[in-house]
Each structure stands twice: as structure tokens, then as C-alpha cells.
């Protein structure tokens, strides 16, 4: 029987299959169109992000170019001012030489005329008219000599103004960095011969030039990554103690000009702080003739007494005090009141009514030379708290503060300070904008009078009854001597607990050290941000250094860093601290000296 095939059913089935395929194709087309739309949206977002990134890069480049232009203009102005200062110093030397020769010649003529006058007065046939003429010539010569002395004083005044202007342009807070050479203890114990030890002793901190430090932060097997830090001065491993101490000399000139000065060494244990500040007696660190390498403290003392020797005899006295801050307590290392433990006798820090910090009953010793200073310091260094750590076998566990207090006994110094302050006020007043309104002018003058009244004798060397709207009932205060402080600080190590490896009671020491250094960083941060309140009293260290950190005192921070991979984290922390310290900007300096108060009996 033949098979019957229904062609209509076959065609209908094929049509049904084709319709199903058509619907599948249409759904696929819809999905592809949706995906295409999403891709278009993502492409638009990427293009917008790329455009914004390009705009940010252009803005950053413009900002960098602007900062570079400002820095170049500042450096140009500073170089120009420095050249002018050098020219004026040369002119001052020339004028001083002419003054000395003229003064010598005038004194010789005066003695000759006085001898002639004496001879003529003793002679029986002497002429009275000739004697009077000779006496008139003597008076004229003495008047000329007095004029030359006044000119010399005026030149000295100009020199001080220019010197302080130069120091202020360089910055009242200056940050220097010193990179020490690689030492044997830079390798971890027991790893000096292995590959790991060689990696730990690899140099990653380099002094690129006189003002830049390059740090290689990359790890083994990772891509190269480096950071650049800039400071006012950078000393490499090849720089000697002389090169480091030469940068301190301008600050000592400011000290005698009436400003408090502080020089502190900051860094981890073993980075060379004590070597930089005090020096070294080790045989492998001796000078070329077997002499010990002196640090900033003995060099500063020698330079200070050299500057004082150029002044009139007995016009300055210098006293030294030595304290250490151990476990957030202040200990007087020169006290003879009895032993208060290994650190001497405990003292307290107070804030006086004039706003300055003071240590009651602190021991001062009169010194006449740098040798006397080092003799006093050598006798008390054994009392400083020390203990071995994993970083160094003789680690200092306290902050050492050596203070040289300079007292000017010459009344001429007070008069010169007044003239200097008056000249500075005239300069500042000439740059201030005058208001057209009489009420505004009265408000400005009233605010100035209020500022003058609020300035205390301890904060201004030129404070005297003649400058105050209310004369003091004590006439002797005008003759009060002027005091300035040079504080030389060897800070304790800034490494973390894990690096030092201390345990037990030593953990409290490390905690106190880190908290005091954090307080110092907070103070510098508050000064950089110009906050109304600066937390000096959060630590005994900052409270003790208040007069030398705040106000218009001159502060030099010497960052001491290790060059090797083992101490990379601590080196970066020290360099970050120095970068924050450089951000502190201050107002124009107003001479801040501590004047001695004379009590009425």
C-alpha cells in the first residue's frame, strides 16, 4: 500500500520551524543591541574619565610650574640679598679699617697736643693764647673721634639688621640632614655573611646634592620606587664635623644679637646624633692627628667665646646648665643636692607670668671658655640613662639638653637693642597700609599700643620704662641685663619598640621617648598650621624648649639618618618629621630676650 504524504503538513511544519528560528534571531539581535548600548555607555564613561584625568594632569603641571617659578624667584631674591650682604660686610670692614686708622691717628695727635700743652703750661714764658689754641685742637680731635665711634656703631647696627634679615629669609626653623656612612652593626646579628645580611646592609638613602636626599623604597623583586626629600642643607657621609658645624655659626651671631637659639639632633638610635652633637672619642673616629672629632656643642661653644672676645672686656658672662628628660621627668645633672638616682636630682618646669618656661632651683655653672663647657659636660655624661638594645649596645634612653645662657652686662648693648628695635618698627610701619578712616586709624594705633603693653620684659630685650605708656616705678629696671639662651639638644632614639627589641621595664622608657617625640611633632604641626593653641605642656621636653621653639627663636633641626635597608622605615619617619618641621612659617621676628628682673628690697 503506497504511503500517503501530506505536503501541506510538511510545509506547515517547515514554516513553523522557520518562524521559531526567526524569533530566536530577533531575540539575539535585541540582546546584541542592548549589549552594544551598554558598551557605548562604558565607552562614554571612559572617555569622560580620560578627559578629567588629562585636565587634572594639566592642572598639576601648571601648579608645579607655578611653584617652581615661585621657588626660583625666591632663590634669586635670596641670592641677590646674600650678594648685597657680602658687599655691605666688605664695606663695613673697609669702614672699620678706616675708623681704626683714623682713631689711632687722632689719639696720637691728641697725646702729642696734650704733651705740648703740658710743656707750654710748665714753661715760664708760655703763651696763654697758644695753650688755648692747642686745647681747642684737642677738643676738636676728641669730637671727631666721637663722631667716628658713632659711625662705627651705626655700621654695626646695619650689619645686625642685614644678618637677621638674611637668617629670617632662610627660615627661623631650618632643617638639615646628615646621612652617616655604613657601619658594622647595620647588618642584622648573625646575618652579615648571608645573602639576607648583604641585603639589609645595602645603601638605600643617598645624599644627591647639597639640599636633596634620595630614598630607594623598592623591595626585592618589585619595581623601582624612590622618594626625594629636600632640606636647607644635606650632608653626605663624606662631610666632616667641620662642614656640619660651619652651618651653625650664623645662628650664634643671632644669639648675641638677642635671639634665643636651639639646635637639636633627631633620628633613631645609632644614626649619629651624639657623634654630631658632642663628637666621638673612639679610636676609629679620630682626627688626622689622633685628636677627637668635636661635634656641634664644643664647636658652638668655641665660636661663641670667639665672638664674645671681639666685644668689650667683661661685657658678657656665660653660664651652663645640663639637664636630661628621662621618663617625662626633668633631672638636673649638675645638682649637688644629693643623688636622685642615676639621672641626678628631679626638677620641675613652670611657666612664669611673662609666658616663658623656667626650671626652679636649676644649677648653673659659670664658664669662661669652650674647654670649661666640655669639662662640665664630660663630668655629667656618665649620669645619662643608657641601656643596650638590638640596634645599639650603648643606646641613650633620655633627651640631653645643654643650655648656654649668655648675659650682657654692658649698658651700651641695651641702648643698641633699643635702637635696633626702633629701626625694625620703623621699617614695619613703612610697609603697613594706612586706612583712610580716622576711626580705623585710631583702632590700629590702639591695637599697637595694646601689643606694646602686652610685650613682657622676658620676650623683648628692648622693653624699658621709656617704651611703655605707664612708666615703671622702678628706675633700676632700665639697667637690667639682657639674657639669651643657646639650647643644644641630643634627643633619644626615635625607633619603634619592635626595632629596639626592649622588654620589661625598658618598654616604659621607649613609650615615654616616643610620646615626647610625638609631642614635639604636634608642637611643630600646630606652629605650621598656625593654630591658636600650641600644646607645649603635653610633654616636659616641649615645655622645657618652649622659649627656643616658639616665638621668633632660631631653631635648627639636624636629621640624622642611617643609609641602609635595615633601618629604612626609621629613616623615612625621620625624613617625614623634618618635612613637617620645614612647613612652619612665622611672622617677622621681633627680638625676644629674657631680661633679668631686679627685685626691690
Amino acid at each position: 500500500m503506497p504511503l500517503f504524504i501530506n505536503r501541506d503538513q510538511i510545509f506547515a511544519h517547515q514554516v513553523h520551524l522557520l518562524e521559531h528560528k526567526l524569533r530566536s534571531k530577533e531575540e539575539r539581535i535585541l540582546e546584541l543591541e542592548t549589549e552594544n548600548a551598554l558598551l557605548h555607555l562604558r565607552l562614554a564613561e571612559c572617555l569622560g574619565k580620560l578627559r578629567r584625568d588629562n585636565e587634572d594632569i594639566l592642572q598639576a603641571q601648571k601648579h608645579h610650574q607655578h611653584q617652581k617659578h615661585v621657588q626660583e624667584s625666591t632663590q634669586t631674591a635670596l641670592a641677590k640679598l646674600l650678594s648685597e650682604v657680602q658687599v655691605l660686610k666688605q664695606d663695613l670692614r673697609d669702614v672699620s679699617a678706616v675708623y681704626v686708622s683714623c682713631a689711632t691717628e687722632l689719639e696720637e695727635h691728641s697725646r702729642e697736643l696734650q704733651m705740648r700743652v703740658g710743656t707750654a703750661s710748665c714753661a715760664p714764658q708760655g703763651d696763654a693764647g697758644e695753650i688755648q689754641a692747642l686745647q681747642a685742637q684737642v677738643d676738636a680731635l676728641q669730637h671727631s673721634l666721637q663722631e667716628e665711634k658713632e659711625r662705627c656703631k651705626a655700621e654695626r647696627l646695619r650689619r645686625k639688621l642685614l644678618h637677621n634679615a638674611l637668617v629670617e629669609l632662610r627660615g627661623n626653623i631650618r632643617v638639615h640632614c646628615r646621612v652617616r656612612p655604613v657601619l658594622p652593626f647595620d647588618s642584622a646579628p648573625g646575618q652579615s655573611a648571608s645573602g639576607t645580611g648583604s641585603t639589609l646592609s645595602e645603601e638605600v638613602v643617598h645624599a644627591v646634592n647639597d639640599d636633596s636626599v634620595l630614598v630607594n623604597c623598592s623591595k626585592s623583586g618589585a619595581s623601582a620606587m624612590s622618594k626625594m626629600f629636600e632640606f636647607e642643607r644635606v650632608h653626605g657621609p663624606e662631610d666632616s664635623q667641620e662642614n656640619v658645624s660651619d652651618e651653625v655659626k650664623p645662628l650664634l651671631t643671632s644669639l648675641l644679637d638677642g635671639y634665643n637659639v636651639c639646635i637639636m639632633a633627631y633620628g633613631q638610635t645609632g644614626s649619629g646624633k651624639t657623634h654630631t652633637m658632642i663628637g666621638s672619642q673612639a679610636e676609629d673616629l679620630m682626627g688626622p692627628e689622633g685628636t677627637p672629632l668635636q661635634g656641634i656643642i664644643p664647636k658652638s661653644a668655641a665660636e661663641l667665646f670667639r665672638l664674645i672676645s671681639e666685644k668689650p672686656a667683661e661685657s658678657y658672662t656665660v653660664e651652663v646648665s645640663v639637664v636630661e628628660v628621662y621618663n617625662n621627668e626633668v633631672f638636673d645633672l649638675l645638682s649637688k643636692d644629693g643623688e636622685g638616682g642615676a639621672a641626678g636630682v628631679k626638677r620641675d618646669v613652670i611657666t612664669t607670668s611673662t609666658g616663658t618656661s623656667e626650671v626652679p632651683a636649676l644649677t648653673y655653672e659659670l664658664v669662661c671658655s669652650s674647654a670649661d663647657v666640655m669639662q662640665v659636660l664630660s663630668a655629667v655624661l656618665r649620669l645619662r640613662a643608657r641601656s643596650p638594645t638590638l640596634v645599639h649596645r650603648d643606646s641613650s634612653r633620655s633627651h640631653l639638653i645643654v643650655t648656654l645662657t649668655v648675659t650682657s652686662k654692658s649698658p651700651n648693648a641695651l641702648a643698641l637693642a633699643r635702637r635696633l628695635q626702633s629701626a625694625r618698627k620703623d621699617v614695619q610701619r613703612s610697609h603697613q597700609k594706612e586706612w583712610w578712616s580716622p576711626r580705623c586709624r585710631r583702632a590700629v594705633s590702639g591695637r599697637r599700643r595694646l601689643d606694646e603693653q602686652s610685650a613682657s620684659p622676658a620676650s623683648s630685650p628692648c622693653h624699658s620704662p621709656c617704651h611703655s605708656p605707664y612708666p615703671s616705678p622702678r628706675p633700676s629696671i632700665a639697667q637690667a641685663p639682657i639674657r639669651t639662651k643657646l639650647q643644644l639638644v641630643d634627643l633619644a632614639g626615635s625607633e619603634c619598640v619592635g626595632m629596639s627589641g626592649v622588654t620589661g621595664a625598658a618598654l616604659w622608657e621607649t613609650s615615654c621617648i616616643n610620646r615626647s617625640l610625638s609631642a614635639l611633632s604636634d608642637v611643630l604641626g600646630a606652629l605650621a598650621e598656625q593654630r591658636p593653641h600650641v600644646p607645649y605642656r603635653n610633654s616636659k621636653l616641649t615645655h622645657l624648649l618652649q622659649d627656643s621653639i616658639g616665638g621668633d627663636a632660631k631653631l635648627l633641626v639636624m636629621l640624622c639618618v642611617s643609609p641602609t635597608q635595615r633601618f629604612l622605615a626609621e629613616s623615612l619617619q625621620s625624613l617625614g618629621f623634618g618635612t613637617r618641621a620645614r612647613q612652619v612659617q612665622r611672622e617677622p621676628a621681633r627680638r625676644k630676650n629674657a631680661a633679668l628682673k631686679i627685685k626691690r628690697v
Side-chain angles (χ1 to χ4, degrees):
M1 181 177 181
L3 180 64
F4 178 75
I5 298 175
N6 191 347
R7 293 183 178 180
D8 294 336
Q9 292 181 355
I10 293 174
F11 290 153
H13 181 68
Q14 290 179 353
V15 169
H16 178 72
L17 291 177
L18 290 175
E19 288 178 352
H20 179 71
K21 289 182 180 180
L22 179 60
R23 284 194 297 271
S24 300
K25 296 293 183 181
E26 288 177 351
E27 291 176 356
R28 179 60 178 168
I29 291 172
L30 182 60
E31 291 178 358
L32 292 177
E33 288 179 350
T34 305
E35 186 177 355
N36 187 24
L38 292 176
L39 291 175
H40 276 291
L41 290 175
R42 291 182 60 187
L43 178 60
E45 291 177 358
C46 292
L47 290 175
K49 183 178 180 181
L50 180 61
R51 191 180 301 108
R52 290 193 297 271
D53 292 342
N54 291 333
E55 292 177 355
D56 294 340
I57 292 174
L58 290 176
Q59 292 180 359
Q61 290 178 351
K62 291 181 180 179
H63 181 67
H64 179 70
Q65 291 177 356
H66 176 69
Q67 286 185 343
K68 186 176 181 181
H69 177 69
V70 172
Q71 184 178 5
E72 290 177 354
S73 60
T74 304
Q75 291 178 353
T76 303
L78 183 60
K80 183 178 179 181
L81 179 60
L82 181 60
S83 61
E84 293 178 357
V85 169
Q86 297 295 337
V87 172
L88 289 173
K89 285 185 177 180
Q90 182 62 35
D91 294 342
L92 179 59
R93 285 193 290 268
D94 297 340
V95 171
S96 300
V98 173
Y99 161 71
V100 171
S101 61
C102 291
T104 305
E105 184 178 356
L106 289 173
E107 288 178 356
E108 291 179 355
H109 285 308
S110 177
R111 285 196 297 269
E112 182 180 355
L113 289 174
Q114 287 179 356
M115 292 176 61
R116 291 174 62 183
V117 169
T119 304
S121 61
C122 294
Q125 65 277 13
D127 188 7
E130 183 179 359
I131 294 175
Q132 293 180 355
L134 292 174
Q135 186 64 39
Q137 292 182 10
V138 170
D139 295 338
L141 289 174
Q142 290 180 348
H143 181 68
S144 300
L145 179 61
Q146 186 65 27
E147 289 181 352
E148 291 295 333
K149 289 182 178 179
E150 292 294 331
R151 291 178 185 174
C152 186
K153 288 181 180 179
E155 291 297 330
R156 289 197 186 100
L157 177 63
R158 291 180 58 194
R159 195 276 309 162
K160 289 188 176 183
L161 285 172
L162 291 172
H163 173 78
N164 287 317
L166 179 62
V167 172
E168 290 164 12
L169 282 176
R170 289 179 175 177
N172 281 347
I173 293 185
R174 309 197 68 201
V175 182
H176 294 187
C177 180
R178 188 180 193 185
V179 183
R180 67 162 175 80
V182 179
L183 298 177
F185 63 83
D186 284 328
S187 299
Q191 296 180 347
S192 58
S194 63
T196 305
S198 61
T199 302
L200 291 177
S201 60
E202 179 185 357
E203 290 190 55
V204 295
V205 181
H206 306 276
V208 180
N209 48 42
D210 290 344
D211 59 358
S212 300
V213 176
L214 179 64
V215 182
N216 182 12
C217 304
S218 61
K219 298 181 181 179
S220 59
S223 59
M225 183 177 63
S226 60
K227 291 184 179 181
M228 184 74 72
F229 296 88
E230 293 184 355
F231 303 103
E232 282 75 18
R233 185 71 168 87
V234 175
H235 300 278
E238 68 280 357
D239 285 357
S240 63
Q241 296 279 70
E242 290 287 342
N243 296 335
V244 176
S245 59
D246 286 343
E247 300 292 336
V248 179
K249 292 181 180 180
L251 295 177
L252 300 178
T253 304
S254 298
L255 176 70
L256 295 184
D257 287 348
Y259 295 88
N260 291 332
V261 176
C262 179
I263 305 170
M264 65 171 61
Y266 183 95
Q268 70 166 105
T269 299
S271 59
K273 300 187 302 298
T274 303
H275 175 71
T276 300
M277 294 301 297
I278 301 176
S280 178
Q281 300 287 341
E283 295 180 358
D284 56 342
L285 296 175
M286 287 293 181
E289 299 180 357
T291 57
L293 294 177
Q294 294 183 337
I296 290 178
I297 294 179
K299 292 287 186 182
S300 300
E303 177 66 13
L304 175 61
F305 283 104
R306 188 192 68 80
L307 294 175
I308 290 177
S309 66
E310 299 176 355
K311 306 295 181 180
E314 298 182 357
S315 59
Y316 289 90
T317 59
V318 181
E319 295 175 314
V320 62
S321 63
V322 184
V323 301
E324 73 167 349
V325 181
Y326 175 69
N327 287 348
N328 203 30
E329 296 291 345
V330 178
F331 295 92
D332 184 3
L333 300 185
L334 296 181
S335 177
K336 303 298 189 298
D337 297 342
E339 294 297 330
V345 177
K346 186 185 297 187
R347 302 295 187 194
D348 197 8
V349 185
I350 64 172
T351 301
T352 63
S353 58
T354 58
T356 59
S357 60
E358 182 179 334
V359 181
L362 184 63
T363 305
Y364 293 89
E365 289 195 12
L366 185 66
V367 289
C368 301
S369 65
S370 60
D372 294 343
V373 176
M374 293 311 299
Q375 183 177 2
V376 172
L377 185 59
S378 301
V380 299
L381 281 179
R382 60 180 178 82
L383 299 177
R384 188 178 183 185
R386 299 176 182 273
S387 64
T389 65
L390 293 181
V391 179
H392 200 273
R393 62 185 178 183
D394 191 21
S395 175
S396 302
R397 313 308 296 166
S398 65
H399 310 295
L400 180 70
I401 303 174
V402 180
T403 304
L404 296 177
T405 305
V406 182
T407 304
S408 171
K409 300 185 295 184
S410 173
N412 293 331
L414 183 61
L416 184 61
R418 290 174 182 169
R419 292 175 59 188
L420 181 60
Q421 181 73 1
S422 177
R424 293 185 65 84
K425 287 183 178 180
D426 292 341
V427 171
Q428 294 177 3
R429 192 177 297 113
S430 64
H431 291 289
Q432 289 178 351
K433 182 179 179 181
E434 292 293 338
W435 297 92
W436 63 271
S437 173
R439 179 178 300 177
C440 294
R441 187 179 296 113
R442 285 196 300 269
V444 172
S445 61
R447 185 167 60 254
R448 290 177 183 171
R449 286 196 301 270
L450 182 60
D451 293 340
E452 293 175 359
Q453 295 175 15
S454 62
S456 62
S459 63
S460 176
C462 310
H463 181 85
S464 63
C466 62
H467 289 276
S468 174
Y470 303 102
S472 172
R474 298 178 293 177
S476 59
I477 194 65
Q479 302 298 328
I482 301 172
R483 301 186 68 186
T484 53
K485 292 190 297 185
L486 170 62
Q487 292 187 308
L488 306 163
V489 187
D490 181 15
L491 296 172
S494 59
E495 70 276 0
C496 62
V497 177
M499 176 60 68
S500 59
V502 295
T503 57
L507 286 174
W508 176 249
E509 295 179 351
T510 305
S511 175
C512 290
I513 292 173
N514 292 335
R515 280 187 291 176
S516 61
L517 294 178
S518 297
L520 178 60
S521 180
D522 292 340
V523 167
L524 295 178
L527 292 174
E529 297 174 5
Q530 298 182 358
R531 301 177 198 164
H533 171 69
V534 181
Y536 290 111
R537 298 190 187 184
N538 286 359
S539 171
K540 293 291 181 67
L541 174 66
T542 54
H543 197 183
L544 187 61
L545 299 178
Q546 177 178 350
D547 299 340
S548 300
I549 296 178
D552 54 8
K554 315 294 182 181
L555 173 61
L556 172 61
V557 180
M558 180 66 69
L559 299 177
C560 298
V561 297
S562 303
T564 57
Q565 176 72 35
R566 180 187 177 191
F567 304 113
L568 176 60
E570 281 70 23
S571 299
L572 288 175
Q573 188 272 335
S574 299
L575 295 173
F577 174 84
T579 302
R580 290 191 297 273
R582 289 191 68 204
Q583 297 174 355
V584 179
Q585 297 179 358
R586 291 176 172 170
E587 299 178 354
R590 300 169 302 175
R591 301 164 52 86
K592 282 201 174 183
N593 293 347
L596 291 174
K597 288 187 177 181
I598 301 178
K599 297 182 179 180
R600 297 184 62 184
V601 181

